[in-house]
Amino acid sequence: MKIIRNLPNDTHLITITDPLNRQLYFNNTNDNNVVINIIYKDKKIQIQSKIKKNIFYHEFKKKLTKNIYLEVFVTKKGLTDIVHSELLMVNVFLCILLVITCIFLGLRPQQRTVKMAIERGIKRKEFIPFYQPIINSMTGSIIGCESLIRWCKANGEIISPANFIDIAEQNKQIYEITDLLISQVAEDLSKLTNIHDNFYISINVIPRQLQNQTFATKLLNTLSSAQVSNHRVAIEVTERTQFTNVTSAKEVMQRLIDHGISIKLDDAGTGFGGFSYFQELPISTLKIDKMFIDTIGTCDVKANILNAIISFGKEAKLTMIAEGVETQEQVNYLRDQGVFLIQGYYYAKPMPFSDLEKYINNNLKKDNH
Ligand code: C2E
Ligand code: CA
Ligand code: CA
């Protein structure tokens, strides 16, 4: 009797089909003498009500999902006056109402499904880092990498963070995912032999994680167990969400810095803190978002913002890394502006660790020539 179909945008279509149709329409009822309620937890929403003032009898109550019930009342009056086309209209009407109801209730089964799948993925350790090189455009040499999480399923499918990271952040599953990632980064770092003294791998975190000393403790312990020097790791904190406790964040960051781990502000200028975080927090590097890099060579008004960001970075004596650089023109422009550290498809896409090892070796050979 119930079909729940997921539609784009997290809405859901609940269609009422046979045998419910039969129960509603062939069971001596019609749209004038049937009352349909949808009950979500304790909330009751009437989606079709009586027109005639008859006495209604409770026909049935059916559980659709864990929290949603369908409840139907009918009168004694029969269906005799209802025609077939009307049946169809009633069905369409019910469908529309149910879709609206589900949107109104904020039901997001799709999100719940992703959450459960992430849970399984964490247990199976399916979250692994890919690495994207950061290159000095003046010398062509690799200065470090950013670790970027990928969900590698058993069937070989690789899922990008855009499809799960927001849900993982909302459900706090990001903590376990970051733990998995840090362990893997530490293990990979311990295997890299062909790297110069300042080579590092950066790890993405959200502000909430950096407000908690447990994060710093775990990170330092993991690096120590893998016998990896702390300065091999850097932290990238995104500005997309807000720091709710700047004092705690400052303490955690300072502790990490005291242990040799630097802090970079990711997506600077796109999110919450604006540039005030650079005054309040011990951040040494500014990552210029792709959104601003994309304006190079265009008439986009944001091109002025790029220049303002670069001026600010120079003024504040920050290290700057340009992200999402795809063309020679962009590399040249940035070089003319004094931004030399480049991350983007122009040099390399994010890659698995085995490819990174090869990339580093080739890069080193180039350096030696
Ligand atoms: P992000 O930290 O800003 O990472 C840069 C994103 O830009 C990456 O997307 C990278 O693949 C992409 N990118 C780099 N260069 C280019 C380019 O030249 N062209 C284009 N079109 N894209 C480029 P990705 O890997 O899909 O990651 C998306 C976002 O997911 C990241 O943005 C970051 O915010 C988040 N993320 C990734 N890994 C983690 C993680 O371990 N923890 C957390 N909290 N977030 C993560
Ligand atoms: Ca990042
Ligand atoms: Ca970024």
Side-chain angles (χ1 to χ4, degrees):
M1 59 156 280
K2 56 103 214 201
I3 309 263
I4 300 178
R5 212 179 302 141
N6 291 334
L7 297 173
N9 305 325
D10 282 341
T11 57
H12 307 92
L13 182 65
I14 302 176
T15 59
I16 294 179
T17 57
D18 280 344
L20 182 63
N21 272 351
R22 239 162 292 168
Q23 266 182 293
L24 289 182
Y25 306 121
F26 300 99
N27 212 8
N28 294 342
T29 69
N30 73 14
D31 63 338
N32 287 346
N33 51 30
V34 58
V35 176
I36 301 173
N37 289 329
I38 266 267
I39 305 164
Y40 175 66
K41 291 184 180 165
D42 292 335
K43 257 188 261 170
K44 202 176 260 196
I45 297 167
Q46 200 166 82
I47 60 169
Q48 184 171 330
S49 66
K50 60 181 177 163
I51 295 171
K52 291 175 186 168
K53 286 187 180 150
N54 285 320
I55 297 165
F56 281 78
Y57 299 92
H58 195 239
E59 175 78 8
F60 67 90
K61 187 174 175 181
K62 175 88 186 173
K63 197 172 182 175
L64 295 181
T65 72
K66 195 170 150 234
N67 291 321
I68 308 173
Y69 292 84
L70 183 72
E71 196 176 36
V72 177
F73 295 86
V74 292
T75 65
K76 271 186 180 162
K77 195 174 179 303
L79 178 72
T80 46
D81 54 344
I82 220 162
V83 289
H84 232 77
S85 63
E86 278 180 304
L87 283 179
L88 190 70
M89 284 307 292
V90 170
N91 251 352
V92 170
F93 176 68
L94 281 178
C95 289
I96 295 167
L97 275 172
L98 282 162
V99 170
I100 295 166
T101 307
C102 288
I103 295 169
F104 169 75
L105 293 172
L107 304 176
R108 293 172 177 269
Q110 226 170 344
Q111 255 198 31
R112 273 201 300 273
T113 316
V114 177
K115 184 186 171 189
M116 275 159 12
I118 293 176
E119 221 164 274
R120 280 195 302 274
I122 292 172
K123 282 199 189 106
R124 295 176 187 162
K125 299 198 167 146
E126 290 175 345
F127 294 93
I128 63 151
F130 269 37
Y131 298 100
Q132 187 176 28
I134 299 163
I135 306 291
N136 182 333
S137 67
M138 297 297 273
T139 60
S141 42
I142 182 168
I143 63 143
C145 293
E146 175 175 5
S147 64
L148 293 157
I149 199 90
R150 295 289 182 269
W151 185 355
C152 298
K153 297 210 166 173
N155 62 6
E157 192 187 354
I158 298 177
I159 302 175
S160 91
N163 296 315
F164 63 86
I165 208 84
D166 285 345
I167 296 176
E169 285 178 9
Q170 279 162 30
N171 296 322
K172 305 201 167 117
Q173 291 169 310
I174 193 67
Y175 294 100
E176 284 174 274
I177 292 178
T178 307
D179 287 349
L180 282 179
L181 180 108
I182 290 174
S183 303
Q184 196 55 56
V185 167
E187 193 183 319
D188 291 345
L189 270 169
S190 72
K191 289 185 206 151
L192 286 176
T193 46
N194 247 345
I195 45 176
H196 58 77
D197 286 350
N198 297 324
F199 181 92
Y200 67 87
I201 294 182
S202 65
I203 289 164
N204 286 288
V205 299
I206 52 171
R208 258 203 330 250
Q209 287 171 292
L210 267 191
Q211 290 170 187
N212 192 336
Q213 288 290 0
T214 317
F215 169 76
T217 308
K218 269 195 199 166
L219 172 61
L220 294 169
N221 287 344
T222 307
L223 293 175
S224 158
S225 308
Q227 297 185 315
V228 169
S229 171
N230 294 334
H231 81 279
R232 292 281 185 216
V233 164
I235 294 297
E236 279 186 25
V237 60
T238 178
E239 213 197 58
R240 276 182 297 115
T241 53
Q242 206 166 8
F243 282 98
T244 50
N245 188 340
V246 175
T247 314
S248 301
K250 202 170 168 178
E251 283 166 13
V252 175
M253 286 183 184
Q254 197 53 56
R255 180 174 166 211
L256 292 172
I257 291 167
D258 293 344
H259 282 84
I261 297 173
S262 68
I263 314 286
K264 304 177 195 304
L265 187 69
D266 202 0
D267 313 319
T270 67
F272 274 96
F275 292 91
S276 66
Y277 286 150
F278 288 105
Q279 283 164 339
E280 296 176 80
L281 297 165
I283 298 169
S284 58
T285 301
L286 183 167
K287 291 197 80 170
I288 306 171
D289 195 76
K290 182 173 185 301
M291 179 201 290
F292 303 112
I293 305 301
D294 284 344
T295 65
I296 294 173
T298 70
C299 307
D300 194 320
V301 283
K302 286 198 294 302
N304 296 326
I305 305 178
L306 171 67
N307 294 336
I309 292 174
I310 296 173
S311 300
F312 170 83
K314 285 183 190 162
E315 196 76 17
K317 300 200 166 39
L318 297 165
T319 302
M320 284 182 272
I321 300 175
E323 204 170 53
V325 178
E326 292 181 345
T327 66
Q328 178 75 57
E329 185 194 1
Q330 291 169 340
V331 174
N332 293 346
Y333 181 88
L334 290 161
R335 189 185 294 160
D336 293 345
Q337 301 295 313
V339 177
F340 308 116
L341 305 184
I342 308 288
Q343 178 183 345
Y345 294 177
Y346 178 73
Y347 286 112
K349 287 189 173 181
M351 58 187 89
F353 180 67
S354 53
D355 290 350
L356 177 71
E357 282 179 304
K358 287 179 212 146
Y359 188 93
I360 291 175
N361 288 335
N362 285 337
N363 191 263
L364 205 74
K365 272 186 226 152
K366 244 186 350 208
D367 268 5
N368 293 337
H369 280 126

